[in-house]
Amino acid sequence: MEAVPVLSIFAENKPGKLEKITEVLAKEGINILGFSIVSVKDFGVIKFLVDKPEKAYQKFKERGFTVAKVPCLGIELEDRPGGLYEVVKLISSKEINIESALVYVAETRKKAYFVFEVEDLDSAWEKLKGEGANFLRASDFIKE
Amino acid sequence: MEKRYFNPKIELLPREELGALQLKKLKKIINKVYKRVPHYRKKFEEAGVKPSHLKTLEDIRHFPFTTKEDLFVDYPFGLLAEPLEKVVRLHTSSGTTGKPKALFFSRKDVMAQAELIARSLVMSGATSGDILQNSMTYGLFTGALVMHYGAELLGMLVIPAGPGNTERQIELMRTFGTTCIHMTPSYALYVASLIQEKGLKPGKDLKLKRAYLGAEPYTEETRRKIEEMLKVDVFNCYGLSEMGGPGVGFECPVKEGLHLWEDAFLVEIVNPENGEPVKPGEVGELVLTSLNREAMPLIRYRTRDLTRFIPEPCSCGRTHVRIARILGRADDMFIVRGVNIFPQQIEGVLMGIKGVAQNYQIILEGYDEMTVKVEIDRDFFDGRIERLLKLKEEITEKLRQAIQVRPKVELVEPGTLPVSEGKAKRVIDKRTL
């Protein structure tokens, strides 16, 4: 299975929280490839696709953050009108529910991936793997 | 051979003889305060009772209660039943406002309370070979010093660590092989979480066997959590400075309620509203009369602590009565939207939910709005927001069922709520009426 690790951090909705989180990545020289922020009133979850996920995970843990690694699937998007539409159409045609998603632009104006989280990763992979989509591989972006 | 009882004669005394002993002591002490303490004489006269009216233990019902307010009459020495020359120790108990309660002890009082502690420690299985790290506050508070004297009387090695400086606490435990600890339950949770964070393995890196936890009420769930985290037996201990500090009540290994040492205290449980005795097993306010106290005996003292009798005889063989763990302090109670709520009810619910860490806080504000802030368990977080939303919903619903009020629940990161290294401050009331 071509799953890629996305880091997920639990954060209270307070000023300066995102600053503290991104500071960890900046100080450790970890590059953010894509991110998403979901907030529900008093707390939120911030997700990152990074080039050194294992190191980032350890550093967040060491500094007392509440962090988890979530395996996701990434499908290549075409950079033209309807590019995202076609990917999500494929996913929904398989009755797969997207729980969260972020976009990773691998090459500006050339190559991007829709990276998404589902409840049952194995079954989603089984349904999608034969559909001719280009999946993002961990080895495509991880440098550790 | 391991000693099972510190004072077997008294601890196993048949109930009938225990009652006779209590009556003898009670008559003596009622006489003494009537003769020597003007405030008690006045109270007895106002209630129309004389020491000679006391024929049976039940007759105590006709005598007036002593309340916190009585301790401030003729303050600070007014309730002394002995001349100051016989007094060797002052302890105070923090009042919420103003002057602290002043409690005085003679040398005999100090040693009598130490014996109650020694009995209790032996009851828990401790011997003179044990090492007690005493992490209660030394000083005006009775908690640490009284335990200290009792543990020394038993012959334990006492490490007078005092509270706080948790790094050092853990270092002491490792260096000296501490086997028993004495602290508040909220601090024990904090210490346990730091031990976990450091990657230390209780049972391997630490030699802890028993934890004596008291000075604030806690639930069975909290006990189990601490026992699991520290790999210890937790014994609930109960006391109050007015009755000499810790050692008033203590759990035996059966861990179903606390034995109150009845040769030292006459125990009643009354309806907090009208002062009438409750039915056996019914919850009410604990009322204690000190039977041994020489310097400052208190008659029918209203503890404000809520509990109930456990009437069945205990399988440990001790004949002294048992009470349930303290269910709350009448003063801790707060009212939200007309409903009486105890912090312990909230704690009980939270500790039973998977995904919740140790700490919580109750905030009351605005127009009777109640917010419960709950720390999530670091290991519970799997990155999914749905799981957090479900947890929040579960907490809200279970709290609503338990307290009949639907609170606002906020999930916060572990380690972000303040931990008081002493009595836990769980309720913040910002309401202005």
Side-chain angles (χ1 to χ4, degrees):
Chain A
M1 180 172 32
E2 300 294 357
V4 293
V6 167
L7 291 184
S8 179
I9 298 161
F10 172 77
E12 279 160 69
N13 226 339
K14 271 197 257 183
K17 210 69 227 188
L18 190 57
E19 183 193 330
K20 286 211 179 83
I21 292 168
T22 47
E23 188 189 13
V24 174
L25 297 173
K27 278 198 173 150
E28 298 296 337
I30 295 164
N31 198 18
I32 301 170
L33 307 176
F35 69 93
S36 77
I37 300 174
V38 182
S39 155
V40 282
K41 261 184 164 176
D42 47 300
F43 68 87
V45 169
I46 300 156
K47 292 182 176 162
F48 292 107
L49 185 74
V50 295
D51 61 348
K52 291 166 192 149
E54 196 47 47
K55 182 177 178 190
Y57 178 74
Q58 289 308 333
K59 293 292 166 192
F60 278 126
K61 271 222 124 127
E62 275 168 30
R63 291 181 199 201
F65 288 95
T66 305
V67 59
K69 280 182 285 189
V70 184
C72 293
L73 294 175
I75 294 181
E76 190 176 338
L77 292 172
E78 285 188 41
D79 185 12
R80 59 168 173 81
L84 178 60
Y85 166 69
E86 270 154 36
V87 172
V88 291
K89 194 170 79 174
L90 168 66
I91 297 169
S92 68
S93 74
K94 303 290 172 191
E95 304 272 304
I96 299 165
N97 191 32
I98 299 168
E99 299 214 340
S100 78
L102 55 86
V103 170
Y104 162 41
V105 180
E107 285 173 68
T108 311
R109 309 292 311 164
K110 282 188 188 154
K111 195 185 250 181
Y113 292 91
F114 181 67
V115 179
F116 60 102
E117 175 194 335
V118 294
E119 192 167 356
D120 186 344
L121 191 75
D122 292 325
S123 110
W125 170 251
E126 285 307 315
K127 288 173 185 167
L128 292 169
K129 66 177 181 188
E131 296 298 321
N134 282 339
F135 285 94
L136 176 65
R137 291 185 188 126
S139 57
D140 292 341
F141 66 96
I142 292 178
K143 295 181 188 157
E144 55 181 5
Chain B
M1 204 186 92
E2 209 175 293
K3 217 171 143 187
R4 285 184 63 209
Y5 306 98
F6 184 81
N7 186 343
K9 187 168 168 284
I10 287 289
E11 291 175 49
L12 303 172
L13 199 64
R15 295 264 346 146
E16 209 170 295
E17 288 173 51
L18 191 54
L21 177 67
Q22 283 189 309
L23 184 60
K24 199 177 112 198
K25 288 185 174 189
L26 185 63
K27 281 181 173 170
K28 208 175 126 192
I29 211 119
I30 290 275
N31 256 306
K32 179 171 173 174
V33 297
Y34 184 75
K35 278 194 196 128
R36 298 202 190 167
V37 183
H39 182 60
Y40 268 121
R41 177 187 284 261
K42 189 167 149 255
K43 277 176 77 91
F44 288 5
E45 279 168 0
E46 277 167 9
V49 287
K50 283 197 165 85
S52 59
H53 292 162
L54 189 90
K55 302 259 188 313
T56 68
L57 285 176
E58 283 67 41
D59 292 336
I60 192 68
R61 251 185 255 174
H62 308 300
F63 286 78
F65 291 113
T66 304
T67 64
K68 194 174 77 184
E69 288 69 36
D70 288 305
L71 300 181
F72 294 97
V73 177
D74 306 328
Y75 185 84
F77 300 116
L79 292 188
L80 279 183
E82 294 285 344
L84 213 49
E85 296 83 76
K86 283 196 86 169
V87 176
V88 300
R89 169 106 55 94
L90 164 74
H91 278 295
T92 66
S93 178
S94 52
T96 39
T97 50
K99 293 176 285 190
K101 293 169 223 161
L103 293 319
F104 300 96
F105 302 88
S106 69
R107 186 179 311 278
K108 210 180 121 207
D109 292 336
V110 168
M111 291 325 291
Q113 199 76 14
E115 181 188 328
L116 301 185
I117 293 282
R119 276 186 212 172
S120 306
L121 293 173
V122 171
M123 177 160 75
S124 77
T127 68
S128 58
D130 275 296
I131 300 173
L132 176 78
Q133 190 162 323
N134 195 5
S135 308
M136 289 283 191
T137 304
Y138 277 82
L140 287 166
F141 173 54
T142 46
L145 269 174
V146 171
M147 176 62 82
H148 187 114
Y149 274 57
E152 281 189 356
L153 180 64
L154 171 58
M156 291 168 107
L157 168 58
V158 184
I159 305 174
N165 198 343
T166 311
E167 294 279 342
R168 193 191 60 183
Q169 298 280 359
I170 296 170
E171 209 38 57
L172 286 169
M173 288 177 194
R174 296 184 73 183
T175 309
F176 299 103
T178 302
T179 60
C180 303
I181 50 175
H182 178 220
M183 56 180 69
T184 63
S186 54
Y187 190 44
L189 279 171
Y190 183 73
V191 171
S193 66
L194 197 69
I195 286 172
Q196 274 192 347
E197 238 168 70
K198 286 178 167 298
L200 294 173
K201 298 264 171 294
K204 217 177 95 202
D205 304 316
L206 300 173
K207 292 181 178 158
L208 298 178
K209 287 190 279 192
R210 298 172 205 95
Y212 306 113
L213 306 183
E216 58 192 18
Y218 57 111
T219 59
E220 253 335 286
E221 286 85 355
T222 301
R223 182 224 294 273
R224 274 196 292 273
K225 198 155 190 168
I226 296 169
E227 289 192 328
E228 170 64 24
M229 287 173 90
L230 287 177
K231 304 274 179 279
V232 291
D233 265 325
V234 168
F235 293 91
N236 192 355
C237 45
Y238 172 71
L240 61 163
S241 300
E242 296 89 317
M243 290 293 131
V248 176
F250 221 97
E251 276 179 329
C252 66
V254 177
K255 292 189 193 169
E256 280 167 21
L258 298 87
H259 288 279
L260 292 188
W261 298 115
E262 286 184 279
D263 59 314
F265 304 99
L266 183 72
V267 188
E268 301 171 78
I269 295 180
V270 304
N271 179 327
E273 302 288 318
N274 60 22
E276 290 299 314
V278 298
K279 293 189 200 88
E282 204 173 279
V283 174
E285 181 181 346
L286 185 66
V287 173
L288 296 171
T289 299
S290 48
L291 297 174
N292 286 343
R293 192 74 69 237
E294 196 176 52
M296 190 174 169
L298 296 177
I299 310 300
R300 303 194 82 200
Y301 185 70
R302 301 283 294 254
T303 65
R304 306 300 287 148
D305 288 323
L306 301 175
T307 184
R308 59 183 174 79
F309 279 126
I310 300 176
E312 298 79 27
C314 185
S315 57
C316 80
R318 288 172 186 82
T319 52
H320 298 242
V321 74
R322 281 180 298 162
I323 56 163
R325 63 172 55 245
I326 299 302
L327 304 167
R329 261 188 91 73
D331 313 320
D332 282 349
M333 193 185 78
F334 56 93
I335 303 176
V336 174
R337 293 171 226 167
V339 182
N340 296 355
I341 301 170
F342 293 102
Q344 291 70 36
Q345 288 174 284
I346 310 265
E347 186 174 332
V349 170
L350 293 179
M351 292 296 167
I353 297 176
K354 199 173 150 354
V356 171
Q358 297 94 2
N359 238 342
Y360 69 95
Q361 200 173 46
I362 299 160
I363 295 159
L364 308 171
E365 59 197 333
Y367 295 106
D368 240 4
E369 289 300 323
M370 175 178 176
T371 302
V372 182
K373 288 193 175 193
V374 182
E375 284 185 4
I376 65 162
D377 184 345
R378 222 176 275 280
D379 298 327
F380 173 82
F381 181 64
D382 67 352
R384 286 160 201 254
I385 204 154
E386 285 71 19
R387 205 154 171 227
L388 296 173
L389 291 171
K390 260 185 214 152
L391 176 66
K392 191 168 153 168
E393 193 45 46
E394 184 189 352
I395 296 170
T396 310
E397 186 48 31
K398 285 193 172 156
L399 283 176
R400 191 194 60 75
Q401 284 171 15
I403 60 176
Q404 312 304 322
V405 167
R406 189 181 177 85
K408 196 175 143 215
V409 171
E410 281 183 18
L411 302 181
V412 303
E413 290 172 59
T416 54
L417 292 178
V419 178
S420 57
E421 296 184 350
K423 291 206 180 196
K425 184 141 180 56
R426 300 297 198 190
V427 185
I428 296 173
D429 197 341
K430 298 188 206 163
R431 291 173 297 185
T432 44
L433 288 176

